[in-house]
Amino acid sequence: MSKQHTPTILVTNDDGITAPGIAALVKAMQPLGRIIVVAPDSPQSGMGHAITIAKPLRLDRVDVFKGIESYQSSGTPADCVKLVVAKVLGHKPDIVVSGINHGSNSSINVIYSGTMSAAMEAAIEGIPAAGFSLSNYDHDADMTTAGHIARVVAEKLLKEKMPKGVLLNVNIPYLSLKELKGIRICRQAGAKWAEIFDERIDPHGRKYYWLVGSWVNPDTGEDTDEWALANGYVSVVPTQFDFTAHNALTTINEWKMSV
Amino acid sequence: MSKQHTPTILVTNDDGITAPGIAALVKAMQPLGRIIVVAPDSPQSGMGHAITIAKPLRLDRVDVFKGIESYQSSGTPADCVKLVVAKVLGHKPDIVVSGINHGSNSSINVIYSGTMSAAMEAAIEGIPAAGFSLSNYDHDADMTTAGHIARVVAEKLLKEKMPKGVLLNVNIPYLSLKELKGIRICRQAGAKWAEIFDERIDPHGRKYYWLVGSWVNPDTGEDTDEWALANGYVSVVPTQFDFTAHNALTTINEWKMSV
């Protein structure tokens, strides 16, 4: 054992262990400590904060990243974090980083995001955590800027004290480091999806639907993640798992509901 | 058209259209307006806020509740709400009620809850919404008290003005109406699951795991949902889909992250 503490960094994602995004994240974390990787054995996008209770879970050691202990699991990103902490590490890692997601998790997307659910699971356990997402869905997207930002944030996670009950939702615009204007701490914008269902007929004459959507953002605040991304900044939203609308407690009390 | 507006009430759940809980909720809502039911075609517990993007969705009319327009869908609870609003109603319902879930969704369970994700999806669309859960997992649990409470809350949803961005997480202890002490407006308790993975060997000699857990609640505040339920009250937590940790913005800003 060296005198200096070597931090343990758990790397996970929701796009699966073979996604380029997790490879970029592993590479970015390597100089910072001992890396353990766990990821779903298939892509889990849109899984939100699902956990697996009705099916048994698998956890298999895989040799994907040279010289780095890696596992894949049949579970969701939230399961992956729970499983590896309990069954592989046997102790909490120093930090958990999730991603780099292929596609933004800004604004309302946070509630559907498997990338963020893995980070949230870590935060519930009191582990400093961040999810990273790149505003580009392309499998071959350049991850250089995103990897650099992940390292900057991870170094802070290791050094600073995370407020209780908080994790970070980090979204990175698809820009070169030179084009990037900086990093902004933001609130989640009040944007949403306007869903459209593409209606089709299957070969047996039955209707089915594909969920498609267009992005609607009426929230023009310059303190939002959407504004930051649209203006060349990385957005960092401190995110919490206490969903209580504290400001609404008084109003709902005034409804005077009684049995 | 009658002179008085007949409200449209969308009823949904995550336990599936054949669960006793949704039957109790439909029965409770019937006197209040026109009822439309949509539910997953199979139980979705633990699905959190998943949406279906990689698979086509089905939506089939079913004849489960006498005289009530009902549908089942291959999607998640969040999908169900989106689909029926877009493809059946063609307009927003007056309110959305979800449940009655077989099992509590108090405290941190809100983040894993399909019942609450359906209500949250409605709230994102600006529709007043509540999720109802009974502190009893038994298929044959008595839903009388829970049904009564659902009606009390739904009447308020129809009458009062819901604060922007807020929905209600309603948990009902397993008590008779006579035993029930009242309804309390609460914050989400800081409780969590301490997970254990039950490790087993399959017939082919490979390890697999079942996720099990025990409930840990270090948060003894009398303003929490856990306290309310343990002391004979219905808990109503005003819940929001803005996950920003507004109180942490300053602290994270002081980390001075730079590119």
Side-chain angles (χ1 to χ4, degrees):
Chain A
M1 301 291 280
S2 73
K3 275 183 213 163
Q4 209 174 352
H5 170 69
T6 301
T8 300
I9 299 169
L10 177 59
V11 179
T12 188
N13 81 345
D14 78 330
D15 287 322
I17 194 126
T18 60
I22 198 167
L25 191 53
V26 167
K27 194 178 160 200
M29 294 303 115
Q30 263 186 300
L32 304 183
R34 173 197 172 199
I35 314 296
I36 302 274
V37 181
V38 64
D41 56 17
S42 59
Q44 303 272 319
S45 286
M47 282 306 289
H49 208 114
I51 48 167
T52 303
I53 49 178
K55 282 188 300 188
L57 293 166
R58 299 284 183 175
L59 183 71
D60 295 302
R61 185 136 186 190
V62 288
D63 197 14
V64 182
F65 307 109
K66 204 179 165 205
I68 292 184
E69 193 177 342
S70 304
Y71 298 84
Q72 64 180 3
S73 166
S74 58
T76 64
D79 296 328
C80 283
V81 171
K82 289 171 191 273
L83 247 178
V84 155
V85 170
K87 287 292 165 185
V88 177
L89 285 174
H91 62 84
K92 292 178 188 175
D94 289 86
I95 64 171
V96 171
V97 289
S98 178
I100 298 167
N101 194 61
H102 296 247
S104 166
N105 278 312
S106 59
S107 184
I108 200 70
N109 296 302
V110 67
I111 77 172
Y112 310 106
S113 165
T115 303
M116 285 303 294
S117 81
M120 195 173 278
E121 206 56 51
I124 292 167
E125 291 302 319
I127 307 164
F132 300 94
S133 307
L134 179 64
S135 296
N136 186 312
Y137 287 92
D138 193 343
H139 183 86
D140 299 317
D142 185 335
M143 293 274 174
T144 312
T145 299
H148 175 80
I149 295 299
R151 180 130 95 226
V152 166
V153 174
E155 282 171 339
K156 291 290 185 181
L157 288 181
L158 288 166
K159 193 181 141 201
E160 305 285 352
K161 191 173 155 50
M162 182 69 88
K164 194 166 179 276
V166 175
L167 63 154
L168 302 182
N169 182 16
V170 182
N171 282 276
I172 302 129
Y174 196 58
L175 297 172
S176 69
L177 265 177
K178 207 175 151 186
E179 293 166 313
L180 200 64
K181 291 222 189 102
I183 300 174
R184 282 174 78 107
I185 314 304
C186 307
R187 66 172 172 86
Q188 177 187 325
K192 63 167 189 155
W193 289 99
E195 273 86 12
I196 301 160
F197 290 91
D198 184 358
E199 190 174 315
R200 303 194 179 186
I201 307 292
D202 74 15
H204 314 289
R206 287 181 65 213
K207 265 193 238 176
Y208 66 98
Y209 304 91
W210 288 104
L211 174 58
V212 287
S214 58
W215 187 240
V216 181
N217 182 19
D219 182 351
T220 54
E222 297 192 2
D223 56 344
T224 65
D225 50 2
E226 289 299 312
W227 189 93
L229 291 167
N231 288 276
Y233 294 89
V234 170
S235 69
V236 176
V237 178
T239 299
Q240 61 193 5
F241 49 84
D242 175 5
F243 294 176
T244 311
H246 290 277
N247 293 337
L249 287 165
T250 308
T251 304
I252 306 299
N253 242 321
E254 284 164 358
W255 289 11
K256 299 199 184 304
M257 288 187 272
S258 60
V259 178
Chain B
M1 301 289 281
S2 73
K3 278 182 211 162
Q4 210 175 352
H5 170 68
T6 301
T8 301
I9 299 169
L10 177 59
V11 179
T12 189
N13 80 344
D14 77 330
D15 286 323
I17 193 124
T18 60
I22 197 167
L25 190 53
V26 167
K27 194 178 162 200
M29 294 302 115
Q30 263 186 301
L32 303 183
R34 173 196 172 202
I35 314 295
I36 303 274
V37 181
V38 63
D41 57 16
S42 60
Q44 302 273 321
S45 287
M47 281 307 287
H49 207 115
I51 48 166
T52 304
I53 47 176
K55 281 187 300 186
L57 292 165
R58 299 285 185 175
L59 183 71
D60 295 302
R61 186 138 186 189
V62 288
D63 196 15
V64 182
F65 307 110
K66 207 180 162 203
I68 292 184
E69 194 177 340
S70 303
Y71 297 85
Q72 65 181 3
S73 167
S74 57
T76 64
D79 296 329
C80 284
V81 171
K82 288 170 191 274
L83 247 178
V84 154
V85 169
K87 287 290 163 186
V88 177
L89 285 172
H91 61 83
K92 291 178 187 174
D94 290 85
I95 64 171
V96 170
V97 289
S98 178
I100 299 167
N101 194 62
H102 296 248
S104 165
N105 278 312
S106 58
S107 183
I108 199 70
N109 296 303
V110 68
I111 76 172
Y112 309 107
S113 166
T115 303
M116 286 304 293
S117 81
M120 196 173 276
E121 206 57 50
I124 292 167
E125 291 302 318
I127 307 164
F132 299 95
S133 307
L134 180 64
S135 295
N136 186 311
Y137 288 91
D138 194 341
H139 183 86
D140 300 317
D142 185 336
M143 293 276 174
T144 311
T145 299
H148 175 81
I149 294 299
R151 181 131 95 225
V152 166
V153 174
E155 282 171 340
K156 292 289 185 183
L157 289 181
L158 288 166
K159 195 181 139 200
E160 305 285 351
K161 192 173 154 50
M162 182 69 87
K164 194 167 179 277
V166 175
L167 63 152
L168 302 182
N169 182 15
V170 182
N171 282 276
I172 302 130
Y174 196 58
L175 297 171
S176 69
L177 265 176
K178 209 176 149 184
E179 293 166 312
L180 200 65
K181 290 219 188 107
I183 299 175
R184 282 175 78 109
I185 315 303
C186 308
R187 67 173 172 87
Q188 176 187 325
K192 62 168 191 157
W193 290 99
E195 274 86 11
I196 302 160
F197 290 90
D198 183 359
E199 189 174 315
R200 302 193 180 188
I201 307 291
D202 75 15
H204 313 289
R206 288 181 64 213
K207 264 193 236 175
Y208 65 98
Y209 304 91
W210 288 104
L211 174 58
V212 287
S214 59
W215 188 239
V216 181
N217 182 18
D219 182 350
T220 54
E222 297 193 3
D223 56 344
T224 64
D225 51 1
E226 288 299 311
W227 188 93
L229 292 166
N231 287 276
Y233 294 90
V234 170
S235 68
V236 176
V237 177
T239 300
Q240 62 193 5
F241 50 85
D242 175 5
F243 295 175
T244 311
H246 290 277
N247 293 338
L249 287 166
T250 308
T251 304
I252 306 299
N253 242 321
E254 284 164 358
W255 289 11
K256 300 197 184 304
M257 289 187 273
S258 59
V259 177

